[in-house]
Amino acid sequence: NFMVIIASTHVMEGSGKMLVTAVGENSQSGIIFKLLLAGEEGECNAEEKAKKAKKKQPQKKHKKADDAEDKDTEVPGGEPVKKNPPKKERSVLQGKLTKMAVLIGKAGLGMSSLTVIILITRFLIDTFWMHNVPWDKECLSIYGQFMVKFFIIGVTVLVVAVPEGLPLAVTISLAYSVKKMMKDNNLVRHLDACETMGNATAICSDKTGTLTMNRMTVVQAHISGRVYRNLAELSKVSGPSMELLIQGIGVNCAYTTKIMPAEKEGGLPRQVGNKTECALLGLTLELHRDYQAIRNEFPEEKLFKVYTFNSSRKSMSTVLKNHDGSYRMYSKGASEILLRKCCKTMLANGKTKTFKSRDRDDLIRNVIEPMASEGLRTICLTFRDFPAADVEPDWEDEARILTGLTYIAVVGIEDPVRPEVPNAIKKCQRAGITVRMVTGDNIDTARAIATKCGILQPGEDYICMEGMEFNQRIRDKNGQIQQELIDAIWPKLRVLARSSPTDKHTLVKGIIDSTALEKRQVVAVTGDGTNDGPALKKADVGFAMGIAGTDVAKEASDIILTDDNFSSIVKAVMWGRNVYDSISKFLQFQLTVNVVAVIVAFTGACITQDSPLKAVQMLWVNLIMDTFASLALATEPPTEALLLRSPYGREQPLISRTMMKNILGHAVYQLTIIFTLLFEGETLFDIDSGRNAPLHAPPSDHYTIVFNTFVLMQIFNEINARKIHGERNVFEGIFNNLIFCSILLGTFIIQIVIVQFGGKAFSCVTLNTEQWLWCIFFGFGSLLWGQLVSSVPTRWLKFLTTAGHGRKQEEIPQEELEEMKDANEIDHGEMELKKSQVLWCRGLNRIATQIRVVNAFRDSVSPYEGLETPMSRSSIHSFMSHPEFRIDDSAHQIPLIDEVECEDDAPTKLNSVAPPPIELSDPLPLPPAQDNSVLDHVLLPPGQIASNTAGQPPCPGSPLHSLETSL
């Protein structure tokens, strides 16, 4: 049979050979892409023209009722109910950082503005009032130079205060982690999966290949009524049963599955293909039989019918057509499933006898259960003969075909537990992560493997169940899945055996949506099959098997395990937690520099009319604390200590109370040293004072010492910032991070060059050896002070608070959730960024609103009432409403003004008595009114006409009343 495979599709089931006819530029996709790239420039130009033409067309308003049906669902006899099912959350860390950066930026903007205002005010008071200097036009250039100087100081404070290094730190940390995780056999497909894995609280893992070595070997067999625990004895057995067993294994295994010679001399043979089938093929080699000879006798194209293995049938069958027109079908699969379909059993003499239910129960009790209790996977091998007949069997009726089977044998396949898995699971449990096994194997086999791995602990209260029982217990009388019933099971569930991919998806969804525990569970899932795609997609982090995984599973995953090993998941947890800690270390360092630099610049400027740290010096400090610090602290390698604590959780603040103690504690030390040097430095070092210097005075020793000491304190404090949980040994593992050591040493060398050779460009003078030693001593004091700060228990400092909280999904306003109703995920980073953009747009449009009110007030008292006045054409609103300046591309993301519940009125004259509703770039959706009182009065219901007669107070709908209310 020949078929055409369509590009970008996946083979869901079956096997075959593929002939590749063209690749790259010669394929149909390549030809199309080539044409697209060739015409890209022309396409872009055409698109720009189309956009301009579209902007010039008049836009119409869309009524809210058009999309009300999408937002709400009416409940009979009740209010509309908002439907917002829980969504997968992304970029939680990015959302926290963006929110914090916006807050710090606002504070910095306020401080810089206040600095400029104070400097200008003090200059004016000191010059024209205290010293009575008369105003002289010839001195305007000098006054202008002072103003420029004050402005530069203000900009410098703003530059230092704004944490532009935060996004860089996140990017570096994630990129560095992704690169290193690749060496730990974790191929990261989505960057946010790194940070999410650090919060993981549950792992639902497969058994085969993940917890076990996936190198299967048949170690026991039951054939002709006897159990063989030694395969050497089985090799001496001969007869019809053995011939059927060998032939059935040869033809009823995928022909792509093979046993290849070892790559190295003395090594184990290589297993290529399905590992279970490799174990069966290995059995034939152990019995000194050649399966390849059987395949040569029955080539793949001569196979009449093949029922491939899948998770629903849990068996595989191959039909052969004999020369006389009869058929023989070989089947293999899960032992307890195929045994229920057997009606005969093969004896040693080649005859068959009836296989009753009592015989099946005895076989399960005496053979299968003992094998499963030893951790063996049991596979049943059967066959069925179809006699030649005029009417061929209906091969599509699979249920009828797979009945009346004849039992041949049951084999026990051993898949040893990976040596490193028990220790890895112990680390997960110590780190507060619950590991659950979800497998399609027998429950006894799964329980035995789980005990060997350490998932099941002696004396622990746990639940092991099969998928069928799980489905029954989570459904109500109507067959509907109930979250309350899932909540009663999953906290104690450790092993789910004989489970289907649907069971895995139901379990993962139930754990994520559960409210049984205080914290929302973050679930990681492993999968390798095509049907595992929904569970991998639903999970917070989906791990696909790189070796045994299908393309569908890999496409649905976030991380691909290139070695199919569970210990690699533990390494992903370590890297995920390390990302959080790296960002927190950077924040601790940067906020300390922020607080000190801003206070020094602000206080010094206000007292001495000049900042102790000049603009170029501040930019160098900003380079240290942003670029260099983010590179140094965001590349810290993870340690085993990260697994000694519980997961942070999605609501955990970025800055803990311990970090706040460190920030404030080191800020106190640095401010004390800097202000001491600033006001008493000339006395301590016997040098000239640099305070109150003229406008273009040369650099001084005094301010050079202040600058040098400040930078050296930051360099040594960068070592303190490596620990954020109150650890005393800040040098632990410092030489494991060569990037950190290189940046620290490089910064110190550059600082020496700047001070000794920077000259006027950096406002520095050369310092002598004694002055350098004092600066280094003050900087080294940061390490000693850090030990003192660590000695103070955080619980004593009740006034300390945390910072850097993210928004929970329940705290997101309904309007924002409605905007994301079509999205499957919530991107917190994008939401916080959008909020900061909205503030600017709202500010501009509220100014436009106020001007509209003033214009409406003028028009209501104008003698040209009802006519268009020249002034109405030059308002800001008219400018913004012009078609060329409409903001259309962000209409559905950024609400520009507060929404007002109103209906679309008929068009009115621009200057009529009743002012029209404010129209800002139709069809922008308007969010609910909260604090814009002007709009509540300007917008009038249809037909209402405002009037204002002499002697009467303005009515609530009049423009005069609107103006009074806004004032």
Side-chain angles (χ1 to χ4, degrees), residues 812-855:
I812 300 175
Q814 189 66 33
E815 295 79 11
E816 296 184 29
L817 284 176
E818 288 295 344
E819 292 179 9
M820 298 180 296
K821 64 181 179 182
D822 295 329
N824 295 323
E825 300 173 337
I826 296 177
D827 194 324
H828 288 268
E830 184 179 348
M831 285 176 53
E832 294 296 340
L833 184 61
K834 189 189 299 183
K835 281 182 60 182
S836 61
Q837 294 171 347
V838 167
L839 296 176
W840 294 95
C841 297
R842 283 188 174 176
L844 177 62
N845 285 279
R846 280 176 178 161
I847 294 175
T849 302
Q850 298 290 344
I851 294 178
R852 283 294 306 270
V853 174
V854 173
N855 287 339

Side-chain angles (χ1 to χ4, degrees), residues 755-775:
V755 171
Q756 297 299 109
F757 308 104
K760 190 173 183 180
F762 285 90
S763 300
C764 292
V765 296
T766 303
L767 300 181
N768 58 38
T769 305
E770 181 184 358
Q771 292 170 340
W772 263 105
L773 290 176
W774 275 107
C775 293

Side-chain angles (χ1 to χ4, degrees), residues 4 6 111 159 216 267 276 342 409 445 478 537 553 609 627 716 793:
V4 177
I6 303 174
M111 289 292 290
V159 169
M216 299 190 180
T276 303
C342 291
T445 305
N478 300 323
K537 203 72 176 176
Q609 286 194 356
T627 307
F716 282 98

Side-chain angles (χ1 to χ4, degrees), residues 757-813:
F757 308 104
K760 190 173 183 180
F762 285 90
S763 300
C764 292
V765 296
T766 303
L767 300 181
N768 58 38
T769 305
E770 181 184 358
Q771 292 170 340
W772 263 105
L773 290 176
W774 275 107
C775 293
I776 294 175
F777 172 75
F778 290 136
F780 183 78
S782 296
L783 296 176
L784 303 178
W785 182 261
Q787 297 298 312
L788 181 62
V789 172
S790 300
S791 302
V792 179
T794 307
R795 64 178 181 274
W796 290 3
L797 308 176
K798 302 293 185 182
F799 61 90
L800 293 179
T801 59
T802 58
H805 296 269
R807 285 197 299 177
K808 300 180 182 179
Q809 189 167 339
E810 304 82 40
E811 297 174 352
I812 300 175

Side-chain angles (χ1 to χ4, degrees), residues 589 592-593 620-621 624-625 628-629 632-633 670 707-722 730-731 734 740-752 754-755 772 775-776 778-783:
F589 173 75
T592 304
V593 184
W620 165 238
V621 171
I624 294 175
M625 75 177 189
F628 291 167
L633 295 174
Q670 294 184 18
F707 165 64
N708 197 32
T709 302
F710 177 77
V711 172
L712 290 177
M713 284 193 296
Q714 308 316 319
I715 292 176
F716 282 98
N717 189 42
E718 197 166 347
I719 301 176
N720 282 324
R722 296 183 64 250
V730 295
F731 292 97
I734 190 172
F740 181 88
C741 297
S742 302
I743 289 178
L744 210 65
L745 182 62
T747 305
F748 182 69
I749 294 174
I750 295 175
Q751 177 65 19
I752 295 176
I754 288 175
V755 171
W772 263 105
C775 293
I776 294 175
F778 290 136
F780 183 78
S782 296
L783 296 176

